[in-house]
């Protein structure tokens, strides 16, 4: 089995943004189980995760309103299933009734976030409208907090809207804006943390903080001095809190499952545990390209090649008919997996070459040519060319690998060795 490169890393100077990732229904980011999403009752939250259970009046809080949850049940489903128009229609209905509350604007922002996410942030056409909705959510959140300093719902939306704004600005290398929004998000997170015992929704940001405030210095020691100014985290507590949110929260439940899935695969090296989560997300939201490609990745990693092939073919079919959220990024995954399976499972060299070349086209069309599947596809084509005595083709593909691969990688060394040998011949 080929080892896959680390995936889904964010700009390293702003890894703290991961602490807040997407604090509500839908970073509706990546992201499946059976038929309809039922608005779950708020279950008991482990109060061991909470320092103080606040004595505050929650009347009028939309975040805790079960009637609103029932009303938005279909909208949340549509959001994660990339039925953007249907979801936004319901969010606009909420806005008409609550024009001065941050929730409808935040949800509209999330919908646009999920139009950006599947492209690996390559598209910029939704940036302005996304920022406008998050800025409006921030404005109305500030008004609520000013009217009532104990309105933890306001702090929830302030933390979330600023976190999303910071994340996008970091992706766009707008470091000054990202830093400002990140600081605001973390400040509001500390305030909303007091309400962890009121709803699992509030626990999500704290869970991410607990995990990543330990993960960051472990993986990026140079950032340790920065973290001296933050509270001490606890990775295991963070994972426990994420599971609590995943099992109990209405708005942030899917987000928590997405983070758990990614953490278990990328960082905890427990892909076997992450796979059922990915399968459930892909089944519940079958038209979410981000969920499908991550599920295909985990199936590939766990040698579940039959399912990997089925999902990969489904992804390419949905790209071919232009389904929303099915972009070149997903095509790059699917075509590489199918190329690998054609080569090693079916021994069909012609089809393998075709899929590897499609992977390269997807990667180049999306500007994702610095590593990963792009280099794997080029290296595979180089080997296949050499095996069929196509020396010119092998040199061409290996030249790409030598130019793009990390100089410490085995791919680079293999490519350089081949090119050096053929130069002498």
């Amino acid at each position: 089995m080929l080892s896959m490169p680390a995936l889904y890393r964010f700009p390293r100077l702003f890894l703290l943004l991961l602490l807040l990732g997407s604090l509500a229904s839908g970073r509706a980011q990546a992201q499946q189980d059976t038929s309809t999403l039922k608005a779950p009752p708020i279950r008991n939250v482990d109060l061991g995760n909470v320092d103080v259970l606040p004595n505050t009046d929650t009347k009028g809080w939309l975040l805790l309103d079960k009637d609103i949850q029932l009303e938005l049940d279909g909208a949340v489903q549509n959001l994660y299933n990339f039925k953007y128009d249907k979801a936004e229609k319901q969010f606009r209905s909420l806005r008409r009734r609550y024009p001065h509350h941050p929730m409808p604007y935040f949800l509209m922002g999330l919908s646009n976030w999920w139009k950006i996410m599947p492209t690996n942030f390559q598209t910029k056409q939704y940036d302005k409208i996304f920022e406008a909705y998050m800025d409006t959510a921030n404005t109305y959140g500030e008004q609520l907090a000013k009217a009532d300093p104990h309105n933890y719902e306001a702090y929830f939306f302030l933390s979330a809207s600023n976190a999303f704004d910071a994340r996008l600005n970091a992706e766009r290398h707008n470091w000054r804006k990202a830093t400002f929004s990140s600081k605001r998000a973390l400040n509001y997170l500390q305030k909303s943390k007091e309400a962890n015992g009121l709803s699992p929704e509030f626990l999500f940001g704290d869970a991410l903080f607990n995990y990543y405030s330990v993960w960051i210095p472990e993986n990026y020691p140079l950032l340790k001095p920065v973290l001296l100014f933050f509270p001490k985290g606890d990775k295991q507590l963070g994972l426990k809190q994420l599971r609590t949110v995943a099992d109990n929260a209405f708005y942030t439940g899917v987000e928590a499952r997405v983070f758990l899935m990614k953490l278990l695969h990328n960082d905890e090296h427990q892909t076997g545990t992450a796979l059922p989560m990915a399968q459930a997300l892909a089944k519940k939201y079958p038209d979410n390209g981000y969920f499908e490609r991550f599920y295909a990745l985990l199936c590939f990693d766990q040698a579940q090649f039959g399912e990997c092939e089925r999902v990969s073919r489904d992804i390419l079919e949905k790209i071919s008919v232009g389904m929303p959220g099915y972009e070149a990024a997903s095509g790059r995954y699917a075509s590489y997996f199918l190329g690998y399976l054609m080569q090693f499972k079916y021994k069909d060299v012609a089809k393998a070459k075709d899929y590897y070349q499609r992977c390269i086209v997807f990667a180049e069309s999306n500007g994702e040519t610095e590593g990963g599947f792009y280099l794997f596809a080029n290296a595979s084509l180089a080997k296949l060319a050499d095996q069929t005595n196509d020396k010119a083709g092998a040199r061409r593909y290996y030249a790409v690998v030598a130019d793009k691969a990390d100089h410490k990688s085995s791919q680079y060394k293999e490519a350089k060795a081949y090119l050096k040998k053929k130069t002498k011949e």
Side-chain angles (χ1 to χ4, degrees), residues 10 15-24 27 29 163-164 186 189 202-216 233-235 237-243 245 252 255-260 262-263:
F10 303 141
L15 286 169
L16 282 175
L17 304 182
L18 280 168
L19 310 180
L20 301 167
S22 56
L23 291 177
R27 187 176 190 301
Q29 241 147 9
F164 272 103
L186 289 168
L189 172 64
F202 293 98
L203 195 59
F204 185 52
D206 198 35
L208 294 178
F209 185 92
N210 271 318
Y211 185 89
Y212 281 106
S213 60
V214 177
W215 181 91
I216 291 170
D234 183 331
K235 276 177 68 174
L237 175 59
L239 289 172
K240 180 182 178 182
Q241 290 172 322
L242 278 176
R243 289 188 175 95
V245 178
T252 58
E255 291 301 328
R257 288 194 287 277
V258 171
F259 267 96
L260 268 175
K262 290 165 58 178
L263 291 176

Side-chain angles (χ1 to χ4, degrees), residues 38 40-46 66 197-200 244 246-249:
K38 300 282 173 76
I42 300 299
R43 303 171 196 161
N44 291 328
V45 178
D46 181 4
K66 293 181 181 178
L198 294 175
S199 167
T244 296
D247 291 341
N248 294 279

Side-chain angles (χ1 to χ4, degrees), residues 21 30 42 58 76 86 102 105 115 148-149 192 293 299 337 365 387:
I42 300 299
T58 62
V76 171
K86 291 181 179 179
Y105 302 97
K115 297 171 188 176
D148 178 8
S192 69
R293 77 188 190 215
C299 286
F337 297 148
S365 70
Q387 290 169 11

